[in-house]
Amino acid sequence: MSVSATRRTGGASDAKVYLLRVLHAYSALVPPRHITIPPIFSFSDVHDLLIGILLNDHLSKYPPAREYQRGFWKWALEKLENLSKNEEVGFTSTIIHVVLSPSHMQDNEIDERMYQHYTTLIPSLCANALPSDSYITHYWNPPDRSFSADEVKRTHETITLFESRTTIAAGTTGLRTWRASFALAQYLIEHTDLVAHHTVLELGSGTGFLGILIASLQLRFDLTSADPTDGAQSASPPTIYLTDVNPCVLDRCQHNMELACNRSSCHPNIEYRLLDWCDAISSPDSLASFLANTDVEIILGADVVFDPTMVPPLVATLSVALSQGTAQMALIGITIRNQATLSYFLEEIKKALMVVEVQHPMEDGFLPLTLDQVDAGLEVKIFRITQLT
C-alpha cells in the first residue's frame, strides 16, 4: 500500500490535507518508493509543501537520519523537475495561438535551498554502512472530546522518538517501535477511558511510544476535566509505570519520554523500573509487593509474545498482577509471526486467566506508515485478559 496524497472534492483545503500526508510520511521515514503524489497536484502545490518540510522547525530540531533525507530529497527534486517540465509542455500547448504577455508566463523555479540541502547530505554517507539511529515523528488524532471549549481544534499531535533502524541493536529488539505498538496505540486512542484516569503499568516499554501516547491522553483529559469556572485546579494525572528488563532500553525510553517536543515531558508522574518477568516465577512475593505498592489499574504490553521461552514468565507476571495486585485488566497486542507461539501463549494464559480477543481497525492511524518494517503486513491481535470469574 502506498502513502498516497489524493485530492478529493472540497477544493484547496482538501488538497492541503492530502499533501500533508507527505509530511507525515517523511517524518516517519517512509521510503520514497511508497510515497505517491498524483499528477493532479500542481508544481506550486508540491513545491510549497516541500519547502514547508525543509523549513519545518520541529524537523530541524529532530531530523530524520541523513541517509533517509538523501533518498527523500533526491526523490523530491526529481518529482519537482518532472512537474515543472510537464507544466511547461502543457502551458506551451495551450497558448500556441496566443500572444504571450508577462501575465501568461509561469515561473516554476525550484528553490535553491532544496538543492543546497541535498548537496550537504552527500559527502557524509558511507557505502554499506548500517542505518544510523534516527529521530522519527508520528502524527495522531486525539479524540474530539479531549479538546477544551476555548481551544482551537488541532488536527493532530506528535510523538517523536530517537530509535534504532535495525532489527537488533545492542543485542536487543527493544530499541525500535514494532507494529503491535501502533495497533494498540490506535485502540487506546479510540478507547481513551481505559487509560485517561487510571494508573498504568506497561510491560516491555521499549522506545516509549505507548508511554508518550498514554501520558498525552492523560494530560489532555487532566486539562479539560476540571470546570474552568469554579477556579479549581485539576488533579494530578495518574502514574504511568514503564518497565523493561534491559537497562539500555529503559534509558532510551526515558530519553524519548523527556524530549521537550513530546507532551509526556510535562507529565509529573512517570516511573521507570527494571522488571524481569522471570521474577514472577523465582520470587512472586517480591513482584506482588511491587505491584501492591503501585496501585496499577491496567496493564499494557505490545509485541511481548515473540519468543516461546518467554511465554511462561510473561504468563506468570500477568497472573501475579491480576490475582494479587490491584490491576483489573491487561491489554496485550501481539504481532502474529508464528502461529504456534501465539497458540502456546493462549493455551498457557487460559489456565489461569480469562482471555477475550478485541476487535480493532488494522488500516487506520499509524499502521499505513509502517510499510517498510520487517513486520509490515503481519496481522496484529489484541487480547483483553482478566481474572477468571
Side-chain angles (χ1 to χ4, degrees):
M1 175 184 13
S2 295
V3 179
S4 176
T6 55
R7 178 176 285 181
R8 299 178 185 174
T9 57
S13 61
D14 282 330
K16 180 178 179 181
V17 168
Y18 292 105
L19 284 172
L20 276 176
R21 293 183 180 179
V22 179
L23 167 64
H24 295 178
Y26 173 79
S27 303
L29 277 67
V30 172
R33 67 179 180 274
H34 291 309
I35 305 174
T36 60
I37 303 177
I40 192 170
F41 290 104
S42 69
F43 173 91
S44 178
D45 289 334
V46 179
H47 187 274
D48 290 349
L49 165 75
L50 292 171
I51 279 294
I53 291 175
L54 181 65
L55 303 180
N56 185 283
D57 287 340
H58 177 83
L59 294 173
S60 296
K61 294 177 183 176
Y62 307 98
R66 292 175 66 84
E67 59 266 31
Y68 173 80
Q69 289 191 58
R70 180 177 182 267
F72 177 87
W73 288 108
K74 180 176 185 292
W75 167 86
L77 289 168
E78 290 174 351
K79 174 68 67 176
L80 286 174
E81 289 167 356
N82 289 334
L83 280 172
S84 180
K85 290 176 184 177
N86 292 340
E87 288 192 4
E88 287 175 4
V89 170
F91 180 72
T92 302
S93 66
T94 60
I95 52 84
I96 196 167
H97 300 300
V98 179
V99 177
L100 289 178
S101 67
S103 62
H104 290 112
M105 301 301 291
Q106 289 190 340
D107 184 11
N108 278 355
E109 288 189 16
I110 299 175
D111 194 303
E112 190 64 27
R113 289 173 292 183
M114 288 193 220
Y115 286 112
Q116 291 172 351
H117 180 68
Y118 175 63
T119 58
T120 66
L121 301 169
I122 298 175
S124 63
L125 298 177
C126 300
N128 302 320
L130 290 173
S132 60
D133 291 357
S134 178
Y135 286 108
I136 297 178
T137 296
H138 300 284
Y139 296 76
W140 61 281
N141 289 67
D144 290 348
R145 57 183 170 173
S146 66
F147 292 97
S148 58
D150 59 349
E151 183 181 23
V152 175
K153 184 174 180 178
R154 293 184 292 174
T155 58
H156 64 257
E157 284 206 26
T158 60
I159 295 173
T160 296
L161 307 162
F162 188 68
E163 65 176 56
S164 170
R165 295 170 62 222
T166 59
T167 302
I168 298 176
T172 177
T173 59
L175 293 174
R176 67 178 294 172
T177 306
W178 298 97
R179 185 172 175 81
S181 292
F182 296 112
L184 186 53
Q186 192 62 41
Y187 184 80
L188 292 175
I189 291 171
E190 295 168 1
H191 301 84
T192 311
D193 289 343
L194 292 171
V195 295
H197 304 293
H198 300 291
T199 301
V200 177
L201 168 67
E202 185 185 6
L203 303 176
S205 297
T207 62
F209 175 81
L210 276 178
I212 294 168
L213 175 77
I214 295 162
S216 301
L217 290 172
Q218 288 188 349
L219 287 173
R220 292 192 71 88
F221 271 73
D222 181 53
L223 290 171
T224 60
S225 58
D227 182 353
T229 63
D230 64 10
Q233 295 294 320
S234 58
S236 180
T239 302
I240 303 171
Y241 292 92
L242 303 177
T243 69
D244 207 283
V245 69
N246 189 310
C248 234
V249 173
L250 201 59
D251 286 345
R252 179 64 63 86
C253 175
Q254 182 169 357
H255 169 81
N256 287 331
M257 293 288 295
E258 294 175 353
L259 288 176
C261 59
N262 288 326
R263 191 186 280 260
S264 55
S265 63
C266 300
H267 196 295
N269 299 318
I270 298 176
E271 300 283 342
Y272 306 90
R273 301 286 180 89
L274 288 171
L275 181 62
D276 188 341
W277 303 339
C278 292
D279 290 346
I281 297 174
S282 61
S283 54
D285 290 342
S286 175
L287 177 60
S289 176
F290 160 69
L291 292 169
N293 291 328
T294 61
D295 293 327
V296 168
E297 296 169 275
I298 183 170
I299 301 168
L300 302 175
D303 223 342
V304 291
V305 179
F306 58 90
D307 180 351
T309 64
M310 295 308 298
V311 167
L314 174 60
V315 169
T317 299
L318 292 171
S319 297
V320 171
L322 291 171
S323 63
Q324 300 183 41
T326 55
Q328 301 298 309
M329 173 176 61
L331 282 175
I332 304 296
I334 301 174
T335 302
I336 313 303
R337 297 183 178 86
N338 185 302
Q339 186 62 47
T341 301
L342 173 63
S343 297
Y344 177 41
F345 169 73
L346 292 176
E347 178 183 336
E348 292 300 306
I349 199 74
K350 287 177 180 178
K351 293 176 182 178
L353 299 165
M354 180 178 293
V355 183
V356 177
E357 182 180 351
V358 299
Q359 300 303 311
H360 66 99
M362 282 295 294
E363 301 304 333
D364 292 344
F366 305 101
L367 289 178
L369 297 182
T370 62
L371 297 166
D372 206 46
Q373 296 204 151
V374 295
D375 55 358
L378 296 180
E379 184 181 7
V380 177
K381 292 181 180 289
I382 298 175
F383 296 95
R384 181 171 64 247
I385 302 172
T386 58
Q387 293 186 59
L388 289 171
T389 55

